């Protein structure tokens, strides 16, 4: 594997509404993601994990430090170019699906390719493969309001990966799903990762994180620990994550 993403000495400071008060959301964040990795980022509410995801998604810029996606400096992307950059290089899966109810499933999935002006023949070819991979072939003519939560999330995943992004970013992707549907979706993520897709996922769930190959723990705006799966299965890795979280929390007391 070789390096895809490098986050170096990243700091993010927000000005609070109270005059002159600065809030440091991230401080000295450092890590590297290799091509083909599946990384989960964990942390309590307010730890900075969502802020970090927004920086990786080019939805915000760091106060200092650098974020490099291969040869692209994310800090240097101009606002007018950011949407096209995200469309061409990044895929997104959100907790609340972010589907357009007035678009069919097919049109929702194809939207990023339409915006990129991809030839129709190539779009149809990609669509046929992705809906088959995700088991949603029979839903292409339906509308989001006709679908279950799990079906909506599969459509959202299809839209995210049909562009063949360098990096797939997921923000609590199972947060709105029941446990059975969550497990099905996480198996889909593992399948995409096994086929070479690089994934960075934010979650507060030990179970969700246990499907990744590496877990980064964020606390008070810093990466303070990490775990590698190694040759563990999901259950063994879950037990390791849970034991680590228990030990880390015990240290604070």
């Amino acid at each position: 594997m070789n390096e895809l993403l490098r986050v170096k000495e990243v700091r993010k400071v927000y000005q609070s509404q109270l005059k002159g008060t600065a809030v440091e959301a991230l401080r000295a964040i450092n890590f590297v993601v290799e091509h083909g990795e599946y990384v989960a980022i964990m942390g309590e509410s307010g730890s900075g994990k969502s802020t970090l995801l927004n920086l990786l998604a080019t939805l915000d810029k760091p106060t200092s430090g650098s974020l490099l996606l291969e040869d692209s400096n994310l800090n240097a992307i101009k606002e007018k170019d950011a949407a096209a950059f995200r469309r061409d290089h990044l895929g997104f899966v959100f907790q609340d699906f972010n589907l357009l109810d007035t678009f069919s499933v097919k049109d929702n999935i194809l939207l990023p390719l339409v915006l990129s002006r991809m030839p129709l023949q190539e779009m149809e070819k990609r669509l046929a493969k992705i809906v088959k991979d995700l088991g949603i072939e029979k839903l292409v003519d339906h509308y989001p309001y006709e679908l279950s939560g799990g079906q909506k999330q599969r459509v959202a995943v299809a839209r995210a990966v049909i562009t063949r992004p360098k990096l797939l970013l997921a923000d609590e992707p199972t947060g709105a799903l029941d446990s059975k549907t969550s497990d099905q979706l996480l198996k889909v993520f593992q399948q995409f990762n096994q086929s070479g897709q690089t994934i960075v996922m934010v979650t507060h769930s030990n179970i969700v994180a246990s499907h990744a190959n590496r877990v980064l723990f964020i606390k008070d705006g810093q990466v303070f620990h990490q775990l590698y799966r190694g040759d563990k299965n999901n259950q063994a890795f879950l037990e390791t994550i849970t034991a680590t979280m228990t030990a880390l929390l015990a240290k604070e007391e």
Side-chain angles (χ1 to χ4, degrees), residues 5-250:
L5 174 72
R6 177 172 289 272
V7 178
K8 187 175 181 182
E9 293 297 316
V10 163
R11 183 170 179 257
K12 180 64 181 178
V13 178
Y14 292 103
Q15 288 299 129
S16 76
Q17 292 178 339
L18 298 171
K19 255 187 175 179
T21 306
V23 177
E24 191 176 45
L26 298 174
R27 54 194 177 99
I29 292 274
N30 291 280
F31 65 91
V32 170
V33 176
E34 306 283 346
H35 278 275
E37 269 203 288
Y38 183 177
V39 178
I41 298 173
M42 295 193 73
E44 296 176 345
S45 180
S47 62
K49 61 185 188 298
S50 293
T51 298
L52 175 59
L53 198 72
N54 284 339
L55 297 181
L56 297 178
T58 71
L59 297 171
D60 201 356
K61 291 188 181 293
T63 304
S64 60
S66 62
L67 299 103
L68 301 172
L69 184 68
E70 285 189 326
D71 53 356
S72 300
N73 180 352
L74 302 189
N75 306 19
I77 297 170
K78 294 176 182 174
E79 197 169 327
K80 65 182 178 68
D81 301 323
F85 179 86
R86 286 192 287 271
R87 192 169 63 238
D88 293 341
H89 301 289
L90 303 173
F92 301 92
V93 180
F94 304 95
Q95 179 176 331
D96 56 359
F97 319 128
N98 282 16
L99 300 176
L100 299 172
D101 270 340
T102 55
F103 279 32
S104 68
V105 164
K106 176 180 178 179
D107 291 339
N108 266 285
I109 295 171
L110 289 179
L111 182 59
L113 302 186
V114 172
L115 293 172
S116 298
R117 298 180 180 176
M118 181 174 284
L120 182 59
Q121 190 175 358
E122 176 63 18
M123 286 198 289
E124 294 285 358
K125 182 180 169 186
R126 289 196 186 189
L127 179 71
K129 182 178 188 308
I130 202 72
V131 296
K132 184 179 179 185
D133 288 347
L134 286 163
I136 54 174
E137 305 103 308
K138 295 179 180 178
L139 301 177
V140 290
D141 295 323
H142 289 249
Y143 286 79
Y145 57 81
E146 300 176 300
L147 308 182
S148 68
Q151 290 170 333
K152 286 180 183 178
Q153 197 59 297
R154 283 175 182 256
V155 174
V157 171
R159 181 187 56 191
V161 299
I162 199 168
T163 60
R164 298 175 182 168
K166 290 179 180 177
L167 180 62
L168 179 63
L169 299 170
D171 186 7
E172 300 282 7
T174 64
L177 305 178
D178 60 57
S179 58
K180 182 181 177 182
T181 310
S182 296
D183 191 55
Q184 291 170 345
L185 181 71
L186 291 168
K187 284 175 180 171
V188 166
F189 270 64
Q190 283 191 308
Q191 287 164 4
F192 278 121
N193 176 246
Q194 286 162 6
S195 68
Q197 178 65 61
T198 309
I199 302 171
V200 173
M201 175 176 63
V202 161
T203 182
H204 67 275
S205 165
N206 294 357
I207 293 173
V208 172
S210 70
H211 286 73
N213 296 322
R214 177 161 58 117
V215 181
L216 299 177
F217 298 92
I218 292 185
K219 181 177 170 60
D220 298 330
Q222 285 186 301
V223 176
F224 74 103
H225 194 68
Q226 66 176 334
L227 290 174
Y228 285 88
R229 169 189 292 276
D231 58 1
K232 295 183 180 75
N233 62 23
N234 288 355
Q235 183 58 39
F237 196 33
L238 170 61
E239 290 167 7
T240 303
I241 293 168
T242 303
T244 302
M245 288 295 289
T246 302
L248 293 170
L249 290 169

